[in-house]
Coordinates of all heavy atoms in Angstrom, one line a residue:
V27 N 85.6 128.2 136.2 CA 85.3 127.8 134.9 C 84.3 128.8 134.2 O 84.5 129.2 133.1 CB 84.7 126.4 134.9 CG1 84.2 126.0 133.4 CG2 85.7 125.3 135.3
W28 N 83.3 129.2 135.1 CA 82.3 130.1 134.6 C 82.9 131.4 134.2 O 82.5 132.0 133.2 CB 81.2 130.2 135.6 CG 80.0 130.9 135.1 CD1 79.6 132.2 135.3 CD2 79.0 130.4 134.2 NE1 78.4 132.5 134.7 CE2 78.1 131.4 133.9 CE3 78.8 129.2 133.5 CZ2 76.9 131.2 133.1 CZ3 77.8 129.0 132.7 CH2 76.8 130.0 132.5
K29 N 83.8 131.9 135.0 CA 84.5 133.2 134.7 C 85.3 133.1 133.5 O 85.3 134.0 132.7 CB 85.3 133.7 135.9 CG 84.5 134.0 137.1 CD 85.4 134.4 138.2 CE 84.6 134.7 139.5 NZ 85.5 135.0 140.6
K30 N 86.0 132.0 133.3 CA 87.0 131.9 132.1 C 86.2 131.9 130.8 O 86.8 132.2 129.8 CB 87.8 130.6 132.3 CG 88.8 130.7 133.4 CD 89.8 131.8 133.2 CE 90.9 131.8 134.3 NZ 91.8 132.9 134.2
R31 N 85.0 131.4 130.8 CA 84.3 131.3 129.5 C 84.0 132.7 128.9 O 84.0 132.8 127.7 CB 83.0 130.6 129.8 CG 81.7 131.4 129.7 CD 80.5 130.6 130.0 NE 79.7 131.4 130.9 CZ 79.0 132.5 130.3 NH1 79.0 132.8 129.1 NH2 78.2 133.2 131.2
V32 N 84.0 133.7 129.7 CA 83.7 135.1 129.1 C 85.0 135.8 128.8 O 85.1 136.8 128.1 CB 82.8 135.9 129.9 CG1 81.4 135.3 129.9 CG2 83.3 136.1 131.3
T33 N 86.1 135.4 129.4 CA 87.4 136.1 129.2 C 88.2 135.6 128.1 O 89.3 136.1 127.7 CB 88.3 136.0 130.5 OG1 88.6 134.7 130.7 CG2 87.6 136.6 131.7
M34 N 87.8 134.5 127.5 CA 88.5 133.8 126.3 C 89.9 133.3 126.7 O 90.7 133.0 125.9 CB 88.5 134.8 125.2 CG 87.1 135.2 124.6 SD 86.1 133.8 124.2 CE 87.0 133.2 122.8
H35 N 90.2 133.2 128.0 CA 91.4 132.6 128.4 C 91.2 131.1 128.6 O 90.1 130.6 129.0 CB 91.9 133.1 129.8 CG 92.3 134.5 129.7 ND1 91.5 135.5 130.1 CD2 93.5 135.0 129.3 CE1 92.2 136.7 129.9 NE2 93.5 136.3 129.4
P36 N 92.1 130.3 128.1 CA 92.0 128.8 128.2 C 91.8 128.3 129.6 O 92.4 128.9 130.5 CB 93.2 128.3 127.5 CG 94.2 129.3 127.5 CD 93.5 130.6 127.6
F37 N 91.1 127.3 129.7 CA 90.9 126.6 131.0 C 91.3 125.1 130.9 O 90.8 124.5 130.0 CB 89.5 126.8 131.6 CG 89.2 126.1 132.9 CD1 89.6 126.6 134.1 CD2 88.7 124.8 132.9 CE1 89.4 126.0 135.3 CE2 88.5 124.1 134.0 CZ 88.9 124.7 135.2
F38 N 92.1 124.6 131.8 CA 92.4 123.3 131.7 C 91.8 122.6 132.9 O 92.0 122.9 134.1 CB 93.9 123.1 131.8 CG 94.3 121.6 131.8 CD1 94.3 120.8 130.7 CD2 94.9 121.1 132.9 CE1 94.7 119.6 130.6 CE2 95.3 119.7 132.9 CZ 95.2 119.0 131.8
G39 N 91.0 121.5 132.7 CA 90.4 120.7 133.7 C 90.7 119.2 133.5 O 90.8 118.8 132.4
Y40 N 91.1 118.6 134.6 CA 91.6 117.1 134.4 C 91.0 116.3 135.5 O 91.2 116.7 136.7 CB 93.1 117.1 134.3 CG 93.6 115.6 134.2 CD1 93.5 114.9 133.1 CD2 94.3 115.1 135.3 CE1 94.0 113.6 132.9 CE2 94.8 113.8 135.3 CZ 94.6 113.1 134.1 OH 95.1 111.8 133.9
V41 N 90.4 115.1 135.2 CA 90.1 114.2 136.3 C 90.7 112.9 136.0 O 90.6 112.3 134.9 CB 88.5 114.0 136.3 CG1 88.1 113.0 137.4 CG2 87.8 115.4 136.5
A42 N 91.6 112.4 136.9 CA 92.3 111.2 136.7 C 91.5 110.0 137.3 O 91.6 109.6 138.4 CB 93.6 111.2 137.5
H43 N 90.6 109.5 136.4 CA 89.7 108.4 136.9 C 90.5 107.1 137.2 O 90.0 106.3 137.9 CB 88.7 108.1 135.8 CG 87.7 109.2 135.6 ND1 86.7 109.5 136.5 CD2 87.6 110.1 134.6 CE1 86.0 110.4 136.1 NE2 86.5 110.8 135.0
C44 N 91.7 107.0 136.6 CA 92.4 105.7 136.8 C 93.7 106.0 137.7 O 94.7 105.4 137.4 CB 92.9 105.2 135.4 SG 91.5 104.6 134.4
A45 N 93.5 106.8 138.7 CA 94.6 107.1 139.6 C 94.2 106.7 141.0 O 93.9 107.6 141.8 CB 95.0 108.6 139.5
P46 N 94.2 105.4 141.3 CA 93.7 105.0 142.7 C 94.7 105.4 143.7 O 95.9 105.5 143.5 CB 93.6 103.5 142.5 CG 94.6 103.1 141.5 CD 94.6 104.3 140.5
H47 N 94.2 105.5 144.9 CA 95.0 105.8 146.1 C 94.6 104.6 147.1 O 93.4 104.2 147.1 CB 94.8 107.1 146.7 CG 95.2 108.2 145.8 ND1 94.4 108.7 144.7 CD2 96.3 109.0 145.7 CE1 95.1 109.6 144.1 NE2 96.2 109.9 144.8
W48 N 95.6 104.2 147.8 CA 95.3 103.1 148.8 C 94.7 103.7 150.0 O 95.1 104.8 150.5 CB 96.6 102.3 149.1 CG 97.2 101.8 147.9 CD1 98.4 102.2 147.3 CD2 96.8 100.8 147.1 NE1 98.7 101.5 146.2 CE2 97.7 100.6 146.1 CE3 95.7 99.8 147.1 CZ2 97.6 99.6 145.1 CZ3 95.6 99.0 146.1 CH2 96.5 98.8 145.1
P49 N 93.8 103.0 150.7 CA 93.2 101.7 150.2 C 92.1 102.0 149.3 O 91.5 103.2 149.2 CB 92.7 101.2 151.5 CG 92.3 102.3 152.3 CD 93.4 103.4 152.0
L50 N 91.8 101.1 148.4 CA 90.7 101.2 147.4 C 89.3 101.0 148.0 O 88.4 101.3 147.3 CB 91.0 100.3 146.2 CG 92.3 100.5 145.4 CD1 92.4 99.5 144.3 CD2 92.2 101.9 144.8
H51 N 89.3 100.5 149.2 CA 88.0 100.3 149.9 C 87.0 99.3 149.2 O 85.9 99.5 149.2 CB 87.3 101.7 150.1 CG 88.1 102.6 150.9 ND1 88.4 102.4 152.2 CD2 88.7 103.7 150.6 CE1 89.2 103.4 152.7 NE2 89.3 104.2 151.7
A52 N 87.6 98.3 148.5 CA 86.7 97.3 148.0 C 86.2 96.5 149.2 O 87.0 96.3 150.1 CB 87.5 96.4 147.0
P53 N 85.0 96.1 149.1 CA 84.5 95.2 150.2 C 85.3 94.0 150.3 O 85.8 93.4 149.4 CB 83.1 94.9 149.7 CG 82.7 95.9 148.7 CD 84.0 96.3 148.0
P54 N 85.5 93.6 151.6 CA 86.4 92.4 151.9 C 86.0 91.2 151.1 O 86.9 90.4 150.7 CB 86.2 92.2 153.4 CG 85.8 93.5 153.9 CD 85.0 94.2 152.8
E55 N 84.7 90.9 150.9 CA 84.2 89.7 150.2 C 84.7 89.8 148.7 O 85.0 88.7 148.1 CB 82.7 89.6 150.3 CG 81.9 90.6 149.7 CD 81.6 91.8 150.7 OE1 82.2 91.8 151.7 OE2 80.8 92.6 150.2
R56 N 84.8 90.9 148.1 CA 85.3 91.1 146.7 C 86.7 90.8 146.6 O 87.3 90.2 145.7 CB 84.9 92.4 146.1 CG 83.4 92.5 145.9 CD 83.2 93.6 144.9 NE 81.7 93.7 144.6 CZ 81.2 94.6 143.9 NH1 81.9 95.6 143.3 NH2 79.9 94.6 143.8
I57 N 87.5 91.3 147.7 CA 88.9 91.1 147.6 C 89.2 89.6 147.9 O 90.1 89.0 147.2 CB 89.6 91.9 148.8 CG1 89.5 93.4 148.4 CG2 91.1 91.6 149.0 CD1 89.9 94.4 149.6
A58 N 88.5 89.0 148.8 CA 88.7 87.6 149.1 C 88.4 86.8 147.9 O 89.1 85.7 147.7 CB 87.8 87.2 150.3
K59 N 87.5 87.1 147.0 CA 87.2 86.4 145.8 C 88.4 86.3 144.9 O 88.6 85.3 144.2 CB 86.0 87.1 145.1 CG 85.6 86.4 143.8 CD 84.5 87.2 143.1 CE 84.3 86.7 141.7 NZ 83.2 87.4 141.1
H60 N 89.3 87.3 144.9 CA 90.4 87.3 143.9 C 91.7 87.0 144.6 O 92.7 87.0 143.9 CB 90.4 88.7 143.3 CG 89.2 88.9 142.4 ND1 89.0 88.3 141.2 CD2 88.1 89.7 142.7 CE1 87.8 88.7 140.7 NE2 87.3 89.5 141.6
R61 N 91.7 86.9 145.9 CA 93.0 86.6 146.6 C 93.6 85.3 146.1 O 92.8 84.3 145.9 CB 92.8 86.5 148.1 CG 92.8 87.8 148.8 CD 94.0 88.7 148.6 NE 95.3 88.2 149.0 CZ 95.8 88.4 150.2 NH1 95.3 89.2 151.0 NH2 97.0 87.9 150.6
G62 N 94.9 85.3 145.8 CA 95.5 84.0 145.3 C 95.5 84.0 143.8 O 96.3 83.2 143.2
R63 N 94.7 84.8 143.1 CA 94.6 84.8 141.6 C 96.0 85.3 141.1 O 96.3 84.9 140.0 CB 93.5 85.7 141.2 CG 93.5 86.1 139.8 CD 93.1 84.9 138.8 NE 93.1 85.3 137.5 CZ 94.2 85.2 136.6 NH1 95.3 84.8 137.1 NH2 94.0 85.5 135.4
Y64 N 96.7 86.1 141.8 CA 97.9 86.8 141.3 C 99.2 86.1 142.0 O 100.2 86.7 141.9 CB 97.8 88.2 141.6 CG 96.6 88.8 140.9 CD1 95.4 89.1 141.6 CD2 96.6 89.1 139.5 CE1 94.3 89.6 140.9 CE2 95.5 89.6 138.9 CZ 94.3 89.9 139.6 OH 93.2 90.3 138.9
R65 N 99.0 85.0 142.6 CA 100.2 84.4 143.4 C 101.3 83.9 142.4 O 102.4 83.9 142.8 CB 99.7 83.2 144.2 CG 98.9 83.5 145.4 CD 99.6 84.4 146.4 NE 100.8 83.7 146.9 CZ 101.9 84.3 147.3 NH1 102.0 85.6 147.2 NH2 102.9 83.6 147.7
N66 N 101.0 83.7 141.1 CA 102.0 83.3 140.2 C 102.8 84.5 139.7 O 103.8 84.3 139.1 CB 101.5 82.6 139.0 CG 100.9 81.3 139.4 OD1 101.3 80.6 140.3 ND2 99.9 80.8 138.7
G67 N 102.4 85.7 140.1 CA 103.1 86.9 139.8 C 102.9 87.6 138.5 O 102.1 87.1 137.6
W68 N 103.4 88.8 138.3 CA 103.1 89.6 137.2 C 103.7 89.0 135.8 O 103.2 89.2 134.8 CB 103.6 91.1 137.4 CG 104.9 91.3 137.9 CD1 106.1 91.0 137.4 CD2 105.2 91.8 139.2 NE1 107.1 91.3 138.2 CE2 106.6 91.8 139.4 CE3 104.4 92.2 140.3 CZ2 107.2 92.3 140.6 CZ3 105.0 92.6 141.5 CH2 106.4 92.6 141.6
D69 N 104.9 88.3 136.0 CA 105.4 87.7 134.8 C 104.5 86.7 134.1 O 104.2 86.8 132.9 CB 106.8 87.1 135.1 CG 107.9 88.1 135.5 OD1 107.9 89.2 134.9 OD2 108.7 87.8 136.4
A70 N 104.0 85.8 135.0 CA 103.1 84.7 134.5 C 101.8 85.4 134.0 O 101.2 84.9 133.0 CB 102.9 83.7 135.6
L71 N 101.3 86.4 134.8 CA 100.1 87.0 134.4 C 100.1 87.7 133.0 O 99.2 87.6 132.3 CB 99.7 88.0 135.5 CG 98.3 88.6 135.4 CD1 97.2 87.6 135.4 CD2 98.1 89.7 136.4
R72 N 101.2 88.4 132.7 CA 101.4 89.0 131.5 C 101.4 87.9 130.3 O 100.7 88.1 129.3 CB 102.8 89.7 131.4 CG 102.9 91.0 132.2 CD 104.2 91.6 132.2 NE 104.4 92.2 130.9 CZ 105.3 91.7 129.9 NH1 106.0 90.7 130.2 NH2 105.3 92.4 128.8
I73 N 102.1 86.8 130.5 CA 102.1 85.8 129.5 C 100.7 85.2 129.3 O 100.2 85.0 128.2 CB 103.2 84.7 129.9 CG1 104.5 85.3 129.8 CG2 103.0 83.5 129.0 CD1 105.6 84.5 130.4
E74 N 100.0 85.0 130.4 CA 98.7 84.4 130.4 C 97.6 85.3 129.7 O 96.9 84.9 128.8 CB 98.2 84.2 131.8 CG 96.8 83.6 132.0 CD 96.4 83.5 133.4 OE1 97.2 83.1 134.3 OE2 95.2 84.0 133.7
R75 N 97.8 86.6 130.0 CA 96.8 87.6 129.4 C 97.1 87.7 127.9 O 96.2 87.9 127.1 CB 97.0 88.9 130.0 CG 96.2 88.9 131.4 CD 96.3 90.2 132.2 NE 95.5 90.2 133.4 CZ 95.6 91.1 134.3 NH1 96.2 92.2 134.1 NH2 94.9 91.0 135.4
H76 N 98.4 87.7 127.5 CA 98.9 87.8 126.1 C 98.3 86.6 125.4 O 97.8 86.7 124.2 CB 100.4 87.9 126.0 CG 100.9 88.0 124.6 ND1 101.2 86.9 123.9 CD2 101.0 89.1 123.8 CE1 101.6 87.4 122.7 NE2 101.5 88.6 122.6
A77 N 98.4 85.4 125.9 CA 97.9 84.1 125.3 C 96.4 84.3 125.1 O 95.9 83.8 124.0 CB 98.3 82.9 126.1
K78 N 95.7 84.8 126.1 CA 94.2 84.9 126.0 C 93.9 85.9 124.8 O 92.9 85.6 124.1 CB 93.7 85.4 127.3 CG 92.3 85.8 127.3 CD 91.4 84.6 127.6 CE 90.0 84.9 127.7 NZ 89.2 84.0 128.4
L79 N 94.6 87.0 124.7 CA 94.3 87.9 123.6 C 94.5 87.3 122.3 O 93.8 87.5 121.3 CB 95.2 89.2 123.7 CG 94.9 90.1 124.9 CD1 96.0 91.2 125.0 CD2 93.5 90.7 124.7
R80 N 95.6 86.4 122.2 CA 95.8 85.8 120.9 C 94.8 84.7 120.6 O 94.3 84.5 119.5 CB 97.2 85.1 121.0 CG 98.4 86.1 120.8 CD 99.7 85.4 120.8 NE 99.9 85.0 119.4 CZ 101.1 84.6 119.0 NH1 102.1 84.7 119.7 NH2 101.2 84.1 117.8
S81 N 94.4 84.0 121.7 CA 93.3 82.9 121.5 C 92.0 83.5 121.0 O 91.2 82.9 120.3 CB 93.1 82.1 122.7 OG 92.5 82.8 123.7
L82 N 91.7 84.7 121.5 CA 90.5 85.5 121.1 C 90.6 86.1 119.7 O 89.6 86.7 119.2 CB 90.1 86.5 122.1 CG 89.8 85.9 123.5 CD1 89.6 87.1 124.5 CD2 88.5 85.2 123.5
G83 N 91.7 86.1 119.2 CA 92.0 86.8 117.9 C 92.1 88.3 117.9 O 92.0 88.9 116.9
L84 N 92.3 88.8 119.1 CA 92.4 90.2 119.3 C 93.8 90.7 118.8 O 93.9 91.9 118.4 CB 92.1 90.7 120.7 CG 90.7 90.4 121.1 CD1 90.6 90.7 122.6 CD2 89.7 91.2 120.3
I85 N 94.8 89.9 118.9 CA 96.1 90.2 118.4 C 96.6 89.0 117.6 O 96.2 87.8 117.9 CB 97.2 90.5 119.5 CG1 97.2 89.5 120.5 CG2 96.8 91.8 120.1 CD1 98.3 89.7 121.5
E86 N 97.4 89.1 116.6 CA 97.8 88.0 115.8 C 99.2 87.5 116.2 O 99.4 86.8 117.1 CB 97.7 88.4 114.3 CG 96.2 88.5 114.0 CD 96.0 88.9 112.5 OE1 96.9 88.8 111.8 OE2 94.8 89.2 112.2
N87 N 100.2 88.0 115.4 CA 101.6 87.4 115.6 C 102.4 88.3 116.4 O 103.6 88.4 116.2 CB 102.1 87.2 114.1 CG 101.4 86.2 113.4 OD1 101.0 85.2 113.9 ND2 101.2 86.5 112.1
W88 N 101.9 89.1 117.3 CA 102.7 89.9 118.2 C 103.2 89.1 119.3 O 102.5 88.3 119.9 CB 101.9 91.0 118.8 CG 101.3 91.9 117.8 CD1 101.6 92.0 116.5 CD2 100.3 92.9 118.1 NE1 100.9 93.0 115.9 CE2 100.1 93.6 116.9 CE3 99.6 93.4 119.2 CZ2 99.2 94.7 116.7 CZ3 98.8 94.4 119.1 CH2 98.6 95.1 117.9
E89 N 104.5 89.2 119.6 CA 105.1 88.5 120.8 C 104.8 89.3 122.0 O 104.6 90.6 121.9 CB 106.6 88.3 120.6 CG 107.0 87.5 119.5 CD 106.4 86.0 119.7 OE1 106.5 85.5 120.8 OE2 105.9 85.4 118.7
C90 N 104.8 88.8 123.1 CA 104.6 89.5 124.4 C 105.9 90.3 124.6 O 107.0 89.8 124.5 CB 104.5 88.5 125.6 SG 103.9 89.3 127.1
S91 N 105.7 91.6 124.9 CA 106.8 92.5 125.0 C 107.6 92.1 126.3 O 107.0 91.5 127.2 CB 106.3 94.0 125.1 OG 105.5 94.1 126.3
P92 N 108.9 92.4 126.4 CA 109.6 92.1 127.6 C 109.2 92.9 128.8 O 108.7 94.0 128.6 CB 111.1 92.4 127.2 CG 111.0 93.3 126.0 CD 109.7 93.0 125.3
R93 N 109.4 92.4 129.9 CA 109.0 93.1 131.2 C 109.9 94.3 131.2 O 111.0 94.4 130.9 CB 109.3 92.2 132.4 CG 109.0 92.9 133.7 CD 109.3 92.1 134.9 NE 109.9 90.7 134.7 CZ 111.2 90.5 134.8 NH1 112.0 91.5 134.9 NH2 111.7 89.3 134.6
D94 N 109.3 95.4 131.7 CA 110.1 96.7 132.0 C 111.3 96.3 132.9 O 111.1 95.7 133.9 CB 109.2 97.7 132.6 CG 109.8 99.0 132.8 OD1 111.0 99.1 132.8 OD2 109.1 100.0 132.9
E95 N 112.5 96.8 132.5 CA 113.6 96.5 133.4 C 113.6 97.1 134.7 O 114.2 96.6 135.7 CB 114.9 96.9 132.6 CG 115.2 96.1 131.4 CD 116.4 96.7 130.6 OE1 117.1 97.5 131.2 OE2 116.5 96.2 129.5
A96 N 112.8 98.1 134.9 CA 112.6 98.8 136.2 C 111.9 98.0 137.2 O 111.9 98.2 138.4 CB 112.0 100.2 136.1
C97 N 111.1 97.0 136.7 CA 110.3 96.1 137.4 C 111.0 94.8 137.6 O 111.2 94.1 136.5 CB 109.0 96.0 136.8 SG 107.8 94.8 137.7
G98 N 111.4 94.3 138.8 CA 112.1 93.1 138.9 C 111.2 91.9 138.6 O 110.0 92.0 138.4
A99 N 111.9 90.8 138.5 CA 111.2 89.5 138.2 C 110.4 89.1 139.4 O 110.9 89.3 140.6 CB 112.3 88.4 137.9
W100 N 109.3 88.4 139.3 CA 108.5 88.0 140.4 C 109.2 87.1 141.2 O 109.1 87.1 142.5 CB 107.2 87.4 139.8 CG 106.3 87.0 140.9 CD1 106.1 85.6 141.3 CD2 105.4 87.7 141.7 NE1 105.1 85.6 142.3 CE2 104.7 86.9 142.6 CE3 105.1 89.1 141.8 CZ2 103.7 87.4 143.5 CZ3 104.2 89.5 142.7 CH2 103.6 88.7 143.6
D101 N 110.0 86.2 140.7 CA 110.7 85.3 141.5 C 111.8 85.9 142.4 O 112.2 85.2 143.3 CB 111.4 84.2 140.6 CG 110.4 83.4 139.9 OD1 109.3 83.2 140.3 OD2 110.8 82.8 138.8
D102 N 112.2 87.1 142.1 CA 113.2 87.8 143.0 C 112.5 88.6 144.2 O 113.2 89.1 145.0 CB 114.0 88.8 142.2 CG 114.8 88.1 141.1 OD1 115.1 86.9 141.3 OD2 115.2 88.7 140.1
V103 N 111.1 88.6 144.1 CA 110.3 89.3 145.1 C 110.3 88.4 146.4 O 110.0 87.2 146.3 CB 109.0 89.7 144.7 CG1 108.2 90.4 145.8 CG2 109.1 90.6 143.4
R104 N 110.5 89.0 147.6 CA 110.4 88.3 148.8 C 109.0 87.7 149.0 O 108.0 88.2 148.5 CB 110.7 89.2 150.1 CG 112.1 89.6 150.2 CD 112.3 90.4 151.5 NE 111.1 91.1 152.0 CZ 110.9 92.4 151.9 NH1 111.7 93.2 151.2 NH2 109.8 92.9 152.4
K105 N 108.9 86.5 149.7 CA 107.6 85.9 149.9 C 106.6 86.8 150.5 O 105.4 86.9 150.1 CB 107.8 84.7 150.8 CG 106.5 83.9 151.1 CD 106.1 83.0 150.0 CE 105.0 82.1 150.5 NZ 103.9 82.0 149.6
D106 N 106.9 87.6 151.6 CA 106.0 88.4 152.3 C 105.6 89.6 151.3 O 104.5 90.1 151.4 CB 106.6 89.0 153.6 CG 107.8 89.8 153.3 OD1 108.6 89.5 152.5 OD2 108.0 90.9 154.0
Q107 N 106.5 90.1 150.5 CA 106.1 91.0 149.5 C 105.2 90.5 148.5 O 104.3 91.2 147.9 CB 107.4 91.6 148.9 CG 107.2 92.8 148.0 CD 106.7 94.1 148.7 OE1 107.0 94.2 149.9 NE2 106.1 94.9 148.0
Q108 N 105.4 89.2 148.1 CA 104.5 88.7 147.1 C 103.1 88.6 147.6 O 102.1 88.8 146.9 CB 105.0 87.3 146.7 CG 106.2 87.2 145.8 CD 106.6 85.8 145.5 OE1 106.0 84.8 146.0 NE2 107.6 85.7 144.6
D109 N 103.0 88.2 148.9 CA 101.7 88.2 149.6 C 101.0 89.6 149.5 O 99.8 89.8 149.2 CB 101.8 87.8 151.1 CG 102.1 86.3 151.1 OD1 101.9 85.6 150.2 OD2 102.7 85.9 152.2
W110 N 101.8 90.6 149.8 CA 101.3 92.0 149.7 C 100.9 92.4 148.3 O 99.8 93.0 148.1 CB 102.3 93.0 150.3 CG 101.9 94.4 150.4 CD1 101.3 95.0 151.5 CD2 102.0 95.4 149.5 NE1 101.0 96.2 151.3 CE2 101.4 96.6 150.0 CE3 102.5 95.5 148.2 CZ2 101.4 97.8 149.3 CZ3 102.4 96.7 147.5 CH2 101.8 97.8 148.1
E111 N 101.7 92.1 147.3 CA 101.4 92.4 146.0 C 100.1 91.7 145.5 O 99.3 92.2 144.8 CB 102.5 92.0 145.0 CG 103.8 92.8 145.2 CD 103.6 94.3 144.7 OE1 102.6 94.6 144.1 OE2 104.6 95.0 145.0
D112 N 99.9 90.4 146.0 CA 98.7 89.6 145.6 C 97.6 90.3 146.2 O 96.5 90.4 145.5 CB 98.9 88.2 146.2 CG 97.6 87.4 145.9 OD1 97.2 87.3 144.8 OD2 97.0 86.9 146.9
A113 N 97.6 90.8 147.4 CA 96.5 91.5 148.0 C 96.2 92.8 147.3 O 95.0 93.2 147.0 CB 96.8 91.8 149.4
R114 N 97.2 93.5 146.8 CA 97.0 94.8 146.1 C 96.3 94.5 144.7 O 95.5 95.3 144.3 CB 98.3 95.5 145.8 CG 99.0 96.0 147.1 CD 98.3 97.0 148.0 NE 97.2 96.5 148.8 CZ 97.2 95.8 149.9 NH1 98.4 95.4 150.4 NH2 96.2 95.5 150.5
M115 N 96.7 93.5 144.1 CA 96.2 93.2 142.7 C 94.8 92.5 142.9 O 94.0 92.6 141.9 CB 97.1 92.3 142.0 CG 98.4 92.9 141.6 SD 99.4 92.0 140.5 CE 100.3 90.9 141.6
A116 N 94.5 92.0 144.0 CA 93.1 91.3 144.2 C 92.1 92.5 144.3 O 91.0 92.3 143.9 CB 93.1 90.4 145.4

């Protein structure tokens, strides 16, 4: 970076703050606090969060967008996979 400042060549720097890698190393007690919160799945969670935004007046007459077709319905996910997803989201 220091050398590029005098050569007038562009320099690109990027830090992906929102690009987690597993494991996230959250303390077990913090994970335990949220385990089960996501058991109803991403479909229910999207609807719940959308309703909350509407109740707070942050959005008005917007409908909740449809789930991305590349992402399957929560009800089609195997039980053991739902447990894994719940742990990842906690």
